[in-house]
Amino acid sequence: MANLDLDQLRTQDRPFEEAEAALVHGVVALPRWLPEPDEHGLRYALNLARLTRLTGPDGRELDLSGPLAAYRAELGAVVEPLLLGPGGVNQVGVVRAAPRIAARAREERARLLSGPAAGLPPEALDRELCEKALVLVAGGGGGVSYVFLGGFALLEQYGLVPRLLAGASMGSILLLFRARRSRFDPEEVAEVVDGLSFRTLFRFLDVESRYSLPGTMRLYLRSGIGEFMKGADGAPLTLGELPIPLLVAVTGIRAGALPHDPSFYEHLLDLHGRAPRPSVLKRLAGDLVGSLAELVRQRDRFTRLYLGADEHTRAFDAVDAVGFSSSLPGVIHYDIVREDERMHRLLEELFRRHDLFRLMDGGIADNVPARAAFQAVHEGRLGTRNAFVLAFDGFGPKLSQPLWFSVEQLVAQNVARNRPFIHHHRSFQQTLSPVELVPSVSRVRRAIQWGKEELLPDMPFVARMVRPFPPPR
């Protein structure tokens, strides 16, 4: 969609989305106060007010923002006092007004189908208003992200399959496992992790830094998970070939944007001949955290990139995409040193288009990329613009992780930038440590259980928001 103003769109949609969420929360908390047909009629009316563009079965794009402006204002004046008032949901008022609101929505539907949307099959309009696409966003943070597997598993148990995924750093690696099949089995991922070792994934080698910033450890992600990320023909899967679309956040560095020379990060964790005494290691850890905090503070000097968001980057090797998103300056270096003419050509084109110097961890600039996911939905990527964005975050500030607290606080600021584009945000509190990159299978299973336990109270609301409902009759 050309000239898409996301902030303006959110300002327009937000009251109706919040009203629908308040209604569903109220129904979940106290069932049977509102007849189900009335709930469906109210939700249909609220989603109709949010409708701006609709893609018909023939691919034709209809702009309905203007034709629905009067209805939007009319409905807002009625429902906001009922659903968003200072006292919460006015149950008595909602029960009285629901039949009238549903009847008015049916009138507006008929007017659209006979006028601005003439020729559009009625079922296409109803489907847009009665079905929400689940969009799942997952942040990074090293080992903390393993808790998301429990969230993935719980969504699977409820029969909820995401239509779009977006992630950064370790979150993008785990989402890659979710993206490769429509069904999800957490035990399969646990078995993959069980077959890995630190030596399989990381090596302490001096390797040319061609596309990303250097780090002490070289990440050999292909050797660890490459066999699981191949298509039926045995070739590595590209982002565009995944059964569930995946957007991968990567931070692009422009020339002159870095606060230090690249060699500074290459040797950030060097002992320089010192014995690895606790005091030395503590100082190194402090230097590392300080350098990462410095980068996060300057995130606005960098370029936010979302691999998989356009035709050019959908051709990226999926493992390479999440590898670059996990390339943490000074710590983890991911690069392409193999002979792969296609990927080198794609990267050189990316660097040319965005005037880049290097790539680094996606979490530096955008750790929970909900805004990018929202934009993809409203650019028509899914064929529907009615979506529910569920965000998983495990790197929120925790006093139980004092070493990382300052970085977590700074990263929380770029998460806040995404909050207006998130419909439900789950910040997991019980997680593995950020440094548990290759945990034991028992620790992975523990993280999965933690994730299920923390997300479980949210599931009645999430499931009711996402499951289709019939249009009012």
Side-chain angles (χ1 to χ4, degrees):
M1 186 192 306
N3 300 319
L4 180 66
D5 188 331
L6 294 182
D7 296 304
Q8 180 180 352
L9 192 60
R10 294 307 293 136
T11 300
Q12 174 182 289
D13 287 355
R14 194 79 181 184
F16 301 105
E17 290 185 351
E18 290 179 349
E20 184 182 15
L23 175 67
V24 173
H25 272 301
V27 169
V28 167
L30 186 63
R32 294 188 294 277
W33 65 270
L34 180 67
E36 199 168 66
D38 286 344
E39 177 199 344
H40 297 159
L42 286 168
R43 292 182 64 188
Y44 190 95
L46 291 165
N47 285 321
L48 180 60
R50 290 179 48 246
L51 190 61
T52 52
R53 286 178 180 266
L54 183 61
T55 304
D58 58 355
R60 185 167 53 111
E61 228 12 43
L62 299 174
D63 186 348
L64 300 176
S65 54
L68 283 168
Y71 171 74
R72 190 177 299 116
E74 174 191 336
L75 184 67
V78 173
V79 300
E80 286 191 45
L82 292 174
L83 295 169
L84 299 176
V89 175
N90 179 345
Q91 293 182 357
V92 173
V94 168
V95 170
R96 289 175 178 168
R100 184 173 73 254
I101 292 172
R104 179 67 185 89
R106 289 195 297 271
E107 290 176 3
E108 193 67 14
R109 173 185 184 272
R111 186 185 71 81
L112 283 179
L113 292 173
S114 63
L120 182 75
E123 59 271 17
L125 176 60
D126 291 342
R127 188 166 51 250
E128 177 69 16
L129 302 180
C130 298
E131 298 181 17
K132 288 189 189 295
L134 175 61
V135 176
L136 182 58
V137 181
V144 304
S145 301
Y146 282 105
V147 75
F148 302 160
L149 295 174
F152 300 173
L154 199 54
L155 291 171
E156 179 71 20
Q157 289 176 20
Y158 273 72
L160 305 180
V161 179
R163 294 272 304 277
L164 176 68
L165 307 167
S169 197
M170 188 64 177
S172 70
I173 293 178
L174 296 177
L175 284 177
L176 179 55
F177 279 93
R178 184 64 194 88
R180 70 191 186 115
R181 290 180 186 163
S182 59
R183 302 297 301 274
F184 178 73
D185 180 3
E187 275 302 308
E188 186 179 37
V189 182
E191 289 170 9
V192 171
V193 175
D194 192 36
L196 298 176
S197 69
F198 195 87
R199 290 185 177 182
T200 304
L201 286 176
F202 298 102
R203 300 174 198 172
F204 295 87
L205 299 172
D206 284 330
V207 180
E208 176 192 2
S209 167
R210 182 166 183 177
Y211 298 113
S212 70
L213 277 187
T216 300
M217 300 184 297
R218 171 83 165 89
L219 174 60
Y220 284 81
L221 196 57
R222 257 182 194 287
S223 64
I225 68 171
E227 285 301 310
F228 303 94
M229 300 300 166
K230 290 183 177 180
D233 59 357
L237 286 168
T238 66
L239 290 174
E241 293 169 336
L242 294 170
I244 304 177
L246 171 63
L247 308 182
V248 179
V250 178
T251 302
I253 308 167
R254 296 184 298 274
L258 275 177
H260 303 284
D261 185 87
S263 62
F264 169 84
Y265 300 97
E266 184 175 5
H267 301 290
L268 191 59
L269 296 182
D270 286 357
L271 289 171
H272 299 293
R274 294 172 292 179
R277 291 191 296 269
S279 61
V280 173
L281 295 177
K282 183 177 181 180
R283 186 177 305 164
L284 284 177
D287 291 344
L288 168 63
V289 170
S291 297
L292 293 178
E294 182 180 43
L295 289 171
V296 175
R297 286 191 195 97
Q298 300 185 66
R299 60 188 175 272
D300 290 336
R301 298 179 61 190
F302 305 132
T303 300
R304 298 180 183 92
L305 303 171
Y306 304 98
L307 306 180
D310 56 65
E311 288 298 329
H312 174 80
T313 58
R314 278 196 280 275
F316 268 54
D317 182 304
V319 173
D320 288 333
V322 300
F324 282 119
S325 185
S326 306
S327 187
L328 190 62
V331 185
I332 298 172
H333 173 216
Y334 184 87
D335 227 314
I336 296 179
V337 294
R338 66 183 187 273
E339 293 296 326
D340 189 332
E341 183 180 343
R342 189 185 70 85
M343 274 305 300
H344 287 300
R345 185 173 64 252
L346 288 170
L347 280 160
E348 287 163 4
E349 172 63 14
L350 181 75
F351 273 52
R352 184 192 63 78
R353 283 194 299 144
H354 295 280
D355 190 25
L356 300 178
F357 170 65
R358 288 290 190 277
L359 301 174
M360 66 178 173
D361 192 295
I364 297 292
D366 200 0
N367 198 45
V368 182
R371 184 187 180 101
F374 181 88
Q375 179 166 346
V377 169
H378 284 269
E379 286 177 343
R381 178 75 183 271
L382 302 182
T384 178
R385 291 170 175 89
N386 190 5
F388 182 85
V389 179
L390 173 63
F392 290 169
D393 181 15
F395 203 61
K398 300 181 185 71
L399 292 174
S400 60
Q401 297 174 348
L403 176 63
W404 300 96
F405 189 72
S406 62
V407 177
E408 289 170 341
Q409 284 184 307
L410 289 166
V411 169
Q413 294 173 16
N414 76 43
V415 175
R417 171 181 175 270
N418 286 279
R419 288 303 291 268
F421 303 91
I422 296 171
H423 298 105
H424 191 75
H425 180 255
R426 168 47 61 189
S427 180
F428 293 93
Q429 298 304 304
Q430 196 165 17
T431 68
L432 300 183
S433 164
V435 299
E436 288 187 79
L437 300 177
V438 192
S440 67
V441 69
S442 63
R443 292 286 286 167
V444 172
R445 289 189 176 127
R446 183 172 296 180
I448 290 172
Q449 186 59 36
W450 289 338
K452 287 182 176 181
E453 290 171 358
E454 288 200 41
L455 187 64
L456 186 60
D458 303 341
M459 287 307 302
F461 167 72
V462 171
R464 201 173 188 97
M465 286 293 291
V466 172
R467 283 180 179 150
F469 59 87
R473 299 299 179 195

